[in-house]
PDB file of all heavy atoms in Angstrom:
ATOM      1  N   LEU A   6       9.637 -12.428  -8.575  1.00 76.00           N
ATOM      2  CA  LEU A   6       9.062 -13.690  -9.042  1.00 76.00           C
ATOM      3  C   LEU A   6       8.351 -13.513 -10.378  1.00 76.00           C
ATOM      4  O   LEU A   6       8.479 -14.349 -11.268  1.00 76.00           O
ATOM      5  CB  LEU A   6       8.086 -14.248  -8.010  1.00 76.00           C
ATOM      6  CG  LEU A   6       8.704 -14.994  -6.839  1.00 76.00           C
ATOM      7  CD1 LEU A   6       7.621 -15.404  -5.861  1.00 76.00           C
ATOM      8  CD2 LEU A   6       9.483 -16.193  -7.312  1.00 76.00           C
ATOM      9  N   ILE A   7       7.599 -12.444 -10.513  1.00 77.00           N
ATOM     10  CA  ILE A   7       6.901 -12.203 -11.771  1.00 77.00           C
ATOM     11  C   ILE A   7       7.915 -11.996 -12.896  1.00 77.00           C
ATOM     12  O   ILE A   7       7.720 -12.454 -14.014  1.00 77.00           O
ATOM     13  CB  ILE A   7       5.955 -10.991 -11.650  1.00 77.00           C
ATOM     14  CG1 ILE A   7       4.793 -11.343 -10.734  1.00 77.00           C
ATOM     15  CG2 ILE A   7       5.439 -10.556 -13.013  1.00 77.00           C
ATOM     16  CD1 ILE A   7       3.904 -10.183 -10.406  1.00 77.00           C
ATOM     17  N   ALA A   8       9.031 -11.335 -12.587  1.00 79.00           N
ATOM     18  CA  ALA A   8      10.056 -11.078 -13.585  1.00 79.00           C
ATOM     19  C   ALA A   8      10.876 -12.328 -13.894  1.00 79.00           C
ATOM     20  O   ALA A   8      11.710 -12.300 -14.802  1.00 79.00           O
ATOM     21  CB  ALA A   8      10.984  -9.971 -13.105  1.00 79.00           C
ATOM     22  N   GLY A   9      10.643 -13.399 -13.161  1.00 77.00           N
ATOM     23  CA  GLY A   9      11.408 -14.618 -13.407  1.00 77.00           C
ATOM     24  C   GLY A   9      12.860 -14.475 -13.004  1.00 77.00           C
ATOM     25  O   GLY A   9      13.737 -15.084 -13.597  1.00 77.00           O
ATOM     26  N   LEU A  10      13.122 -13.637 -12.009  1.00 77.00           N
ATOM     27  CA  LEU A  10      14.466 -13.360 -11.496  1.00 77.00           C
ATOM     28  C   LEU A  10      15.389 -12.785 -12.572  1.00 77.00           C
ATOM     29  O   LEU A  10      16.594 -12.941 -12.520  1.00 77.00           O
ATOM     30  CB  LEU A  10      15.074 -14.619 -10.871  1.00 77.00           C
ATOM     31  CG  LEU A  10      14.276 -15.229  -9.715  1.00 77.00           C
ATOM     32  CD1 LEU A  10      14.919 -16.527  -9.265  1.00 77.00           C
ATOM     33  CD2 LEU A  10      14.158 -14.261  -8.561  1.00 77.00           C
ATOM     34  N   SER A  11      14.792 -12.114 -13.530  1.00 80.00           N
ATOM     35  CA  SER A  11      15.554 -11.480 -14.606  1.00 80.00           C
ATOM     36  C   SER A  11      15.618  -9.974 -14.346  1.00 80.00           C
ATOM     37  O   SER A  11      14.580  -9.322 -14.238  1.00 80.00           O
ATOM     38  CB  SER A  11      14.878 -11.744 -15.946  1.00 80.00           C
ATOM     39  OG  SER A  11      15.466 -10.963 -16.949  1.00 80.00           O
ATOM     40  N   PRO A  12      16.822  -9.413 -14.242  1.00 86.00           N
ATOM     41  CA  PRO A  12      16.938  -7.982 -13.966  1.00 86.00           C
ATOM     42  C   PRO A  12      16.258  -7.107 -15.009  1.00 86.00           C
ATOM     43  O   PRO A  12      15.680  -6.073 -14.683  1.00 86.00           O
ATOM     44  CB  PRO A  12      18.443  -7.727 -13.944  1.00 86.00           C
ATOM     45  CG  PRO A  12      19.060  -9.050 -13.681  1.00 86.00           C
ATOM     46  CD  PRO A  12      18.135 -10.069 -14.283  1.00 86.00           C
ATOM     47  N   GLY A  13      16.307  -7.499 -16.264  1.00 86.00           N
ATOM     48  CA  GLY A  13      15.705  -6.695 -17.310  1.00 86.00           C
ATOM     49  C   GLY A  13      14.183  -6.683 -17.261  1.00 86.00           C
ATOM     50  O   GLY A  13      13.541  -5.699 -17.617  1.00 86.00           O
ATOM     51  N   MET A  14      13.604  -7.777 -16.821  1.00 84.00           N
ATOM     52  CA  MET A  14      12.145  -7.879 -16.757  1.00 84.00           C
ATOM     53  C   MET A  14      11.565  -7.287 -15.478  1.00 84.00           C
ATOM     54  O   MET A  14      10.359  -7.115 -15.363  1.00 84.00           O
ATOM     55  CB  MET A  14      11.726  -9.346 -16.869  1.00 84.00           C
ATOM     56  CG  MET A  14      12.020  -9.964 -18.223  1.00 84.00           C
ATOM     57  SD  MET A  14      11.197  -9.120 -19.582  1.00 84.00           S
ATOM     58  CE  MET A  14       9.506  -9.505 -19.240  1.00 84.00           C
ATOM     59  N   THR A  15      12.423  -6.955 -14.524  1.00 88.00           N
ATOM     60  CA  THR A  15      11.956  -6.420 -13.247  1.00 88.00           C
ATOM     61  C   THR A  15      11.196  -5.115 -13.432  1.00 88.00           C
ATOM     62  O   THR A  15      10.189  -4.874 -12.770  1.00 88.00           O
ATOM     63  CB  THR A  15      13.141  -6.216 -12.290  1.00 88.00           C
ATOM     64  OG1 THR A  15      13.823  -7.453 -12.142  1.00 88.00           O
ATOM     65  CG2 THR A  15      12.680  -5.740 -10.928  1.00 88.00           C
ATOM     66  N   ILE A  16      11.654  -4.282 -14.344  1.00 90.00           N
ATOM     67  CA  ILE A  16      10.986  -3.003 -14.592  1.00 90.00           C
ATOM     68  C   ILE A  16       9.564  -3.239 -15.085  1.00 90.00           C
ATOM     69  O   ILE A  16       8.616  -2.606 -14.609  1.00 90.00           O
ATOM     70  CB  ILE A  16      11.783  -2.169 -15.613  1.00 90.00           C
ATOM     71  CG1 ILE A  16      13.141  -1.785 -15.025  1.00 90.00           C
ATOM     72  CG2 ILE A  16      11.008  -0.931 -16.043  1.00 90.00           C
ATOM     73  CD1 ILE A  16      14.099  -1.190 -16.012  1.00 90.00           C
ATOM     74  N   TYR A  17       9.400  -4.168 -16.008  1.00 87.00           N
ATOM     75  CA  TYR A  17       8.073  -4.456 -16.549  1.00 87.00           C
ATOM     76  C   TYR A  17       7.162  -5.088 -15.503  1.00 87.00           C
ATOM     77  O   TYR A  17       5.970  -4.784 -15.440  1.00 87.00           O
ATOM     78  CB  TYR A  17       8.182  -5.361 -17.776  1.00 87.00           C
ATOM     79  CG  TYR A  17       8.966  -4.725 -18.890  1.00 87.00           C
ATOM     80  CD1 TYR A  17      10.196  -5.234 -19.270  1.00 87.00           C
ATOM     81  CD2 TYR A  17       8.491  -3.592 -19.537  1.00 87.00           C
ATOM     82  CE1 TYR A  17      10.929  -4.638 -20.284  1.00 87.00           C
ATOM     83  CE2 TYR A  17       9.221  -2.990 -20.552  1.00 87.00           C
ATOM     84  CZ  TYR A  17      10.431  -3.521 -20.917  1.00 87.00           C
ATOM     85  OH  TYR A  17      11.148  -2.920 -21.918  1.00 87.00           O
ATOM     86  N   ALA A  18       7.720  -5.936 -14.674  1.00 85.00           N
ATOM     87  CA  ALA A  18       6.929  -6.555 -13.613  1.00 85.00           C
ATOM     88  C   ALA A  18       6.490  -5.510 -12.585  1.00 85.00           C
ATOM     89  O   ALA A  18       5.353  -5.537 -12.101  1.00 85.00           O
ATOM     90  CB  ALA A  18       7.719  -7.665 -12.934  1.00 85.00           C
ATOM     91  N   ALA A  19       7.387  -4.585 -12.261  1.00 88.00           N
ATOM     92  CA  ALA A  19       7.035  -3.513 -11.323  1.00 88.00           C
ATOM     93  C   ALA A  19       5.958  -2.617 -11.916  1.00 88.00           C
ATOM     94  O   ALA A  19       5.034  -2.188 -11.204  1.00 88.00           O
ATOM     95  CB  ALA A  19       8.274  -2.699 -10.978  1.00 88.00           C
ATOM     96  N   LEU A  20       6.041  -2.342 -13.209  1.00 88.00           N
ATOM     97  CA  LEU A  20       5.011  -1.528 -13.857  1.00 88.00           C
ATOM     98  C   LEU A  20       3.663  -2.254 -13.862  1.00 88.00           C
ATOM     99  O   LEU A  20       2.615  -1.626 -13.681  1.00 88.00           O
ATOM    100  CB  LEU A  20       5.426  -1.173 -15.281  1.00 88.00           C
ATOM    101  CG  LEU A  20       6.558  -0.157 -15.404  1.00 88.00           C
ATOM    102  CD1 LEU A  20       6.985  -0.003 -16.853  1.00 88.00           C
ATOM    103  CD2 LEU A  20       6.143   1.179 -14.819  1.00 88.00           C
ATOM    104  N   LEU A  21       3.687  -3.568 -14.053  1.00 83.00           N
ATOM    105  CA  LEU A  21       2.450  -4.349 -13.997  1.00 83.00           C
ATOM    106  C   LEU A  21       1.805  -4.257 -12.621  1.00 83.00           C
ATOM    107  O   LEU A  21       0.603  -4.014 -12.508  1.00 83.00           O
ATOM    108  CB  LEU A  21       2.721  -5.810 -14.356  1.00 83.00           C
ATOM    109  CG  LEU A  21       1.538  -6.761 -14.167  1.00 83.00           C
ATOM    110  CD1 LEU A  21       0.448  -6.468 -15.191  1.00 83.00           C
ATOM    111  CD2 LEU A  21       2.000  -8.197 -14.246  1.00 83.00           C
ATOM    112  N   MET A  22       2.598  -4.429 -11.575  1.00 83.00           N
ATOM    113  CA  MET A  22       2.056  -4.356 -10.215  1.00 83.00           C
ATOM    114  C   MET A  22       1.538  -2.944  -9.915  1.00 83.00           C
ATOM    115  O   MET A  22       0.492  -2.786  -9.296  1.00 83.00           O
ATOM    116  CB  MET A  22       3.119  -4.764  -9.198  1.00 83.00           C
ATOM    117  CG  MET A  22       3.548  -6.214  -9.323  1.00 83.00           C
ATOM    118  SD  MET A  22       2.228  -7.383  -9.001  1.00 83.00           S
ATOM    119  CE  MET A  22       2.253  -7.398  -7.242  1.00 83.00           C
ATOM    120  N   ALA A  23       2.255  -1.917 -10.368  1.00 87.00           N
ATOM    121  CA  ALA A  23       1.807  -0.538 -10.162  1.00 87.00           C
ATOM    122  C   ALA A  23       0.519  -0.272 -10.931  1.00 87.00           C
ATOM    123  O   ALA A  23      -0.394   0.387 -10.415  1.00 87.00           O
ATOM    124  CB  ALA A  23       2.891   0.438 -10.589  1.00 87.00           C
ATOM    125  N   TYR A  24       0.436  -0.805 -12.144  1.00 86.00           N
ATOM    126  CA  TYR A  24      -0.771  -0.637 -12.958  1.00 86.00           C
ATOM    127  C   TYR A  24      -1.986  -1.273 -12.271  1.00 86.00           C
ATOM    128  O   TYR A  24      -3.074  -0.693 -12.261  1.00 86.00           O
ATOM    129  CB  TYR A  24      -0.540  -1.256 -14.332  1.00 86.00           C
ATOM    130  CG  TYR A  24      -1.700  -1.111 -15.280  1.00 86.00           C
ATOM    131  CD1 TYR A  24      -1.981   0.115 -15.863  1.00 86.00           C
ATOM    132  CD2 TYR A  24      -2.512  -2.192 -15.578  1.00 86.00           C
ATOM    133  CE1 TYR A  24      -3.047   0.265 -16.732  1.00 86.00           C
ATOM    134  CE2 TYR A  24      -3.582  -2.060 -16.449  1.00 86.00           C
ATOM    135  CZ  TYR A  24      -3.843  -0.841 -17.020  1.00 86.00           C
ATOM    136  OH  TYR A  24      -4.897  -0.700 -17.863  1.00 86.00           O
ATOM    137  N   ILE A  25      -1.788  -2.411 -11.668  1.00 81.00           N
ATOM    138  CA  ILE A  25      -2.884  -3.072 -10.945  1.00 81.00           C
ATOM    139  C   ILE A  25      -3.296  -2.232  -9.742  1.00 81.00           C
ATOM    140  O   ILE A  25      -4.492  -2.041  -9.485  1.00 81.00           O
ATOM    141  CB  ILE A  25      -2.480  -4.498 -10.531  1.00 81.00           C
ATOM    142  CG1 ILE A  25      -2.349  -5.387 -11.764  1.00 81.00           C
ATOM    143  CG2 ILE A  25      -3.503  -5.090  -9.558  1.00 81.00           C
ATOM    144  CD1 ILE A  25      -1.756  -6.746 -11.477  1.00 81.00           C
ATOM    145  N   GLN A  26      -2.323  -1.699  -9.002  1.00 82.00           N
ATOM    146  CA  GLN A  26      -2.638  -0.871  -7.834  1.00 82.00           C
ATOM    147  C   GLN A  26      -3.403   0.386  -8.242  1.00 82.00           C
ATOM    148  O   GLN A  26      -4.378   0.773  -7.595  1.00 82.00           O
ATOM    149  CB  GLN A  26      -1.350  -0.482  -7.097  1.00 82.00           C
ATOM    150  CG  GLN A  26      -0.696  -1.608  -6.368  1.00 82.00           C
ATOM    151  CD  GLN A  26      -1.503  -2.045  -5.161  1.00 82.00           C
ATOM    152  OE1 GLN A  26      -2.280  -1.292  -4.592  1.00 82.00           O
ATOM    153  NE2 GLN A  26      -1.319  -3.289  -4.780  1.00 82.00           N
ATOM    154  N   ILE A  27      -2.979   1.032  -9.321  1.00 86.00           N
ATOM    155  CA  ILE A  27      -3.665   2.238  -9.795  1.00 86.00           C
ATOM    156  C   ILE A  27      -5.058   1.882 -10.299  1.00 86.00           C
ATOM    157  O   ILE A  27      -6.024   2.612 -10.081  1.00 86.00           O
ATOM    158  CB  ILE A  27      -2.826   2.934 -10.879  1.00 86.00           C
ATOM    159  CG1 ILE A  27      -1.574   3.509 -10.241  1.00 86.00           C
ATOM    160  CG2 ILE A  27      -3.619   4.023 -11.581  1.00 86.00           C
ATOM    161  CD1 ILE A  27      -0.552   4.009 -11.230  1.00 86.00           C
ATOM    162  N   GLY A  28      -5.166   0.744 -10.969  1.00 82.00           N
ATOM    163  CA  GLY A  28      -6.471   0.289 -11.453  1.00 82.00           C
ATOM    164  C   GLY A  28      -7.441   0.021 -10.322  1.00 82.00           C
ATOM    165  O   GLY A  28      -8.636   0.312 -10.421  1.00 82.00           O
ATOM    166  N   ILE A  29      -6.936  -0.544  -9.232  1.00 81.00           N
ATOM    167  CA  ILE A  29      -7.780  -0.794  -8.062  1.00 81.00           C
ATOM    168  C   ILE A  29      -8.305   0.524  -7.510  1.00 81.00           C
ATOM    169  O   ILE A  29      -9.499   0.664  -7.217  1.00 81.00           O
ATOM    170  CB  ILE A  29      -6.991  -1.540  -6.970  1.00 81.00           C
ATOM    171  CG1 ILE A  29      -6.626  -2.946  -7.430  1.00 81.00           C
ATOM    172  CG2 ILE A  29      -7.794  -1.614  -5.682  1.00 81.00           C
ATOM    173  CD1 ILE A  29      -5.618  -3.631  -6.519  1.00 81.00           C
ATOM    174  N   ALA A  30      -7.417   1.504  -7.387  1.00 82.00           N
ATOM    175  CA  ALA A  30      -7.830   2.804  -6.846  1.00 82.00           C
ATOM    176  C   ALA A  30      -8.854   3.475  -7.754  1.00 82.00           C
ATOM    177  O   ALA A  30      -9.842   4.049  -7.276  1.00 82.00           O
ATOM    178  CB  ALA A  30      -6.608   3.699  -6.660  1.00 82.00           C
ATOM    179  N   ALA A  31      -8.654   3.397  -9.061  1.00 83.00           N
ATOM    180  CA  ALA A  31      -9.599   4.007  -9.996  1.00 83.00           C
ATOM    181  C   ALA A  31     -10.937   3.281  -9.972  1.00 83.00           C
ATOM    182  O   ALA A  31     -11.994   3.918 -10.037  1.00 83.00           O
ATOM    183  CB  ALA A  31      -9.013   3.987 -11.408  1.00 83.00           C
ATOM    184  N   ALA A  32     -10.904   1.971  -9.864  1.00 79.00           N
ATOM    185  CA  ALA A  32     -12.146   1.205  -9.818  1.00 79.00           C
ATOM    186  C   ALA A  32     -12.907   1.476  -8.524  1.00 79.00           C
ATOM    187  O   ALA A  32     -14.141   1.523  -8.526  1.00 79.00           O
ATOM    188  CB  ALA A  32     -11.854  -0.285  -9.958  1.00 79.00           C
ATOM    189  N   MET A  33     -12.187   1.667  -7.439  1.00 80.00           N
ATOM    190  CA  MET A  33     -12.854   1.983  -6.170  1.00 80.00           C
ATOM    191  C   MET A  33     -13.510   3.357  -6.240  1.00 80.00           C
ATOM    192  O   MET A  33     -14.581   3.559  -5.667  1.00 80.00           O
ATOM    193  CB  MET A  33     -11.842   1.932  -5.017  1.00 80.00           C
ATOM    194  CG  MET A  33     -11.457   0.528  -4.622  1.00 80.00           C
ATOM    195  SD  MET A  33     -10.161   0.432  -3.369  1.00 80.00           S
ATOM    196  CE  MET A  33     -10.726   1.528  -2.111  1.00 80.00           C
ATOM    197  N   ALA A  34     -12.889   4.289  -6.926  1.00 81.00           N
ATOM    198  CA  ALA A  34     -13.437   5.640  -7.014  1.00 81.00           C
ATOM    199  C   ALA A  34     -14.617   5.715  -7.969  1.00 81.00           C
ATOM    200  O   ALA A  34     -15.574   6.449  -7.731  1.00 81.00           O
ATOM    201  CB  ALA A  34     -12.355   6.615  -7.465  1.00 81.00           C
ATOM    202  N   GLY A  35     -14.569   4.953  -9.060  1.00 79.00           N
ATOM    203  CA  GLY A  35     -15.588   5.078 -10.087  1.00 79.00           C
ATOM    204  C   GLY A  35     -16.691   4.039 -10.044  1.00 79.00           C
ATOM    205  O   GLY A  35     -17.737   4.225 -10.648  1.00 79.00           O
ATOM    206  N   ALA A  36     -16.480   2.955  -9.341  1.00 79.00           N
ATOM    207  CA  ALA A  36     -17.481   1.881  -9.315  1.00 79.00           C
ATOM    208  C   ALA A  36     -17.518   1.283  -7.920  1.00 79.00           C
ATOM    209  O   ALA A  36     -16.749   1.651  -7.041  1.00 79.00           O
ATOM    210  CB  ALA A  36     -17.123   0.814 -10.346  1.00 79.00           C
ATOM    211  N   SER A  37     -18.413   0.364  -7.747  1.00 76.00           N
ATOM    212  CA  SER A  37     -18.532  -0.265  -6.433  1.00 76.00           C
ATOM    213  C   SER A  37     -17.648  -1.510  -6.364  1.00 76.00           C
ATOM    214  O   SER A  37     -18.109  -2.621  -6.161  1.00 76.00           O
ATOM    215  CB  SER A  37     -19.990  -0.635  -6.160  1.00 76.00           C
ATOM    216  OG  SER A  37     -20.438  -1.547  -7.143  1.00 76.00           O
ATOM    217  N   VAL A  38     -16.351  -1.284  -6.551  1.00 75.00           N
ATOM    218  CA  VAL A  38     -15.370  -2.362  -6.490  1.00 75.00           C
ATOM    219  C   VAL A  38     -14.579  -2.194  -5.204  1.00 75.00           C
ATOM    220  O   VAL A  38     -14.176  -1.090  -4.858  1.00 75.00           O
ATOM    221  CB  VAL A  38     -14.428  -2.305  -7.712  1.00 75.00           C
ATOM    222  CG1 VAL A  38     -13.340  -3.352  -7.617  1.00 75.00           C
ATOM    223  CG2 VAL A  38     -15.224  -2.464  -8.989  1.00 75.00           C
ATOM    224  N   THR A  39     -14.357  -3.289  -4.515  1.00 79.00           N
ATOM    225  CA  THR A  39     -13.600  -3.215  -3.265  1.00 79.00           C
ATOM    226  C   THR A  39     -12.122  -3.457  -3.520  1.00 79.00           C
ATOM    227  O   THR A  39     -11.726  -3.989  -4.557  1.00 79.00           O
ATOM    228  CB  THR A  39     -14.116  -4.259  -2.265  1.00 79.00           C
ATOM    229  OG1 THR A  39     -13.887  -5.560  -2.789  1.00 79.00           O
ATOM    230  CG2 THR A  39     -15.595  -4.070  -1.988  1.00 79.00           C
ATOM    231  N   TYR A  40     -11.332  -3.098  -2.551  1.00 80.00           N
ATOM    232  CA  TYR A  40      -9.888  -3.299  -2.630  1.00 80.00           C
ATOM    233  C   TYR A  40      -9.552  -4.788  -2.675  1.00 80.00           C
ATOM    234  O   TYR A  40      -8.563  -5.195  -3.266  1.00 80.00           O
ATOM    235  CB  TYR A  40      -9.224  -2.631  -1.425  1.00 80.00           C
ATOM    236  CG  TYR A  40      -7.719  -2.645  -1.473  1.00 80.00           C
ATOM    237  CD1 TYR A  40      -7.042  -1.827  -2.351  1.00 80.00           C
ATOM    238  CD2 TYR A  40      -6.987  -3.476  -0.636  1.00 80.00           C
ATOM    239  CE1 TYR A  40      -5.661  -1.835  -2.408  1.00 80.00           C
ATOM    240  CE2 TYR A  40      -5.609  -3.491  -0.686  1.00 80.00           C
ATOM    241  CZ  TYR A  40      -4.951  -2.668  -1.564  1.00 80.00           C
ATOM    242  OH  TYR A  40      -3.595  -2.686  -1.629  1.00 80.00           O
ATOM    243  N   ASP A  41     -10.409  -5.590  -2.060  1.00 84.00           N
ATOM    244  CA  ASP A  41     -10.181  -7.034  -2.029  1.00 84.00           C
ATOM    245  C   ASP A  41     -10.169  -7.644  -3.425  1.00 84.00           C
ATOM    246  O   ASP A  41      -9.430  -8.597  -3.677  1.00 84.00           O
ATOM    247  CB  ASP A  41     -11.243  -7.724  -1.182  1.00 84.00           C
ATOM    248  CG  ASP A  41     -11.166  -7.311   0.274  1.00 84.00           C
ATOM    249  OD1 ASP A  41     -10.055  -6.963   0.720  1.00 84.00           O
ATOM    250  OD2 ASP A  41     -12.206  -7.337   0.951  1.00 84.00           O
ATOM    251  N   LEU A  42     -10.958  -7.117  -4.332  1.00 81.00           N
ATOM    252  CA  LEU A  42     -10.972  -7.635  -5.696  1.00 81.00           C
ATOM    253  C   LEU A  42      -9.599  -7.452  -6.358  1.00 81.00           C
ATOM    254  O   LEU A  42      -9.110  -8.347  -7.043  1.00 81.00           O
ATOM    255  CB  LEU A  42     -12.052  -6.947  -6.521  1.00 81.00           C
ATOM    256  CG  LEU A  42     -12.185  -7.422  -7.962  1.00 81.00           C
ATOM    257  CD1 LEU A  42     -12.576  -8.894  -8.006  1.00 81.00           C
ATOM    258  CD2 LEU A  42     -13.205  -6.585  -8.692  1.00 81.00           C
ATOM    259  N   GLY A  43      -8.972  -6.333  -6.118  1.00 78.00           N
ATOM    260  CA  GLY A  43      -7.638  -6.097  -6.644  1.00 78.00           C
ATOM    261  C   GLY A  43      -6.616  -7.040  -6.047  1.00 78.00           C
ATOM    262  O   GLY A  43      -5.719  -7.519  -6.733  1.00 78.00           O
ATOM    263  N   LEU A  44      -6.759  -7.324  -4.772  1.00 82.00           N
ATOM    264  CA  LEU A  44      -5.851  -8.275  -4.139  1.00 82.00           C
ATOM    265  C   LEU A  44      -6.050  -9.676  -4.700  1.00 82.00           C
ATOM    266  O   LEU A  44      -5.084 -10.436  -4.843  1.00 82.00           O
ATOM    267  CB  LEU A  44      -6.059  -8.275  -2.629  1.00 82.00           C
ATOM    268  CG  LEU A  44      -5.666  -6.995  -1.908  1.00 82.00           C
ATOM    269  CD1 LEU A  44      -5.966  -7.121  -0.421  1.00 82.00           C
ATOM    270  CD2 LEU A  44      -4.209  -6.675  -2.129  1.00 82.00           C
ATOM    271  N   ILE A  45      -7.275 -10.012  -5.044  1.00 87.00           N
ATOM    272  CA  ILE A  45      -7.539 -11.314  -5.656  1.00 87.00           C
ATOM    273  C   ILE A  45      -6.854 -11.404  -7.011  1.00 87.00           C
ATOM    274  O   ILE A  45      -6.250 -12.419  -7.346  1.00 87.00           O
ATOM    275  CB  ILE A  45      -9.060 -11.555  -5.772  1.00 87.00           C
ATOM    276  CG1 ILE A  45      -9.657 -11.767  -4.387  1.00 87.00           C
ATOM    277  CG2 ILE A  45      -9.365 -12.739  -6.681  1.00 87.00           C
ATOM    278  CD1 ILE A  45     -11.168 -11.791  -4.358  1.00 87.00           C
ATOM    279  N   VAL A  46      -6.916 -10.328  -7.793  1.00 82.00           N
ATOM    280  CA  VAL A  46      -6.260 -10.316  -9.103  1.00 82.00           C
ATOM    281  C   VAL A  46      -4.749 -10.464  -8.928  1.00 82.00           C
ATOM    282  O   VAL A  46      -4.105 -11.247  -9.636  1.00 82.00           O
ATOM    283  CB  VAL A  46      -6.597  -9.025  -9.881  1.00 82.00           C
ATOM    284  CG1 VAL A  46      -5.751  -8.892 -11.119  1.00 82.00           C
ATOM    285  CG2 VAL A  46      -8.069  -9.002 -10.219  1.00 82.00           C
ATOM    286  N   GLN A  47      -4.175  -9.743  -7.980  1.00 80.00           N
ATOM    287  CA  GLN A  47      -2.742  -9.863  -7.731  1.00 80.00           C
ATOM    288  C   GLN A  47      -2.392 -11.273  -7.275  1.00 80.00           C
ATOM    289  O   GLN A  47      -1.372 -11.839  -7.691  1.00 80.00           O
ATOM    290  CB  GLN A  47      -2.288  -8.859  -6.681  1.00 80.00           C
ATOM    291  CG  GLN A  47      -2.143  -7.470  -7.202  1.00 80.00           C
ATOM    292  CD  GLN A  47      -1.644  -6.516  -6.151  1.00 80.00           C
ATOM    293  OE1 GLN A  47      -1.787  -6.746  -4.955  1.00 80.00           O
ATOM    294  NE2 GLN A  47      -1.054  -5.420  -6.599  1.00 80.00           N
ATOM    295  N   GLY A  48      -3.210 -11.844  -6.432  1.00 84.00           N
ATOM    296  CA  GLY A  48      -2.975 -13.206  -5.962  1.00 84.00           C
ATOM    297  C   GLY A  48      -3.033 -14.214  -7.096  1.00 84.00           C
ATOM    298  O   GLY A  48      -2.231 -15.162  -7.132  1.00 84.00           O
ATOM    299  N   MET A  49      -3.961 -14.028  -8.020  1.00 87.00           N
ATOM    300  CA  MET A  49      -4.058 -14.941  -9.163  1.00 87.00           C
ATOM    301  C   MET A  49      -2.815 -14.839 -10.050  1.00 87.00           C
ATOM    302  O   MET A  49      -2.321 -15.850 -10.553  1.00 87.00           O
ATOM    303  CB  MET A  49      -5.323 -14.649  -9.960  1.00 87.00           C
ATOM    304  CG  MET A  49      -6.591 -15.057  -9.232  1.00 87.00           C
ATOM    305  SD  MET A  49      -8.131 -14.553 -10.018  1.00 87.00           S
ATOM    306  CE  MET A  49      -7.931 -15.063 -11.690  1.00 87.00           C
TER     307      MET A  49
END
């Protein structure tokens, strides 16, 4: 859906989702951020 059903954009959309997941993990380790905040960002 993020890629707009375009095969070429799928790689970039997957990298975006992976970047958000890694960012959530780093924020949880370094600050008092919960996993729920990352899910809210993904939901938005």
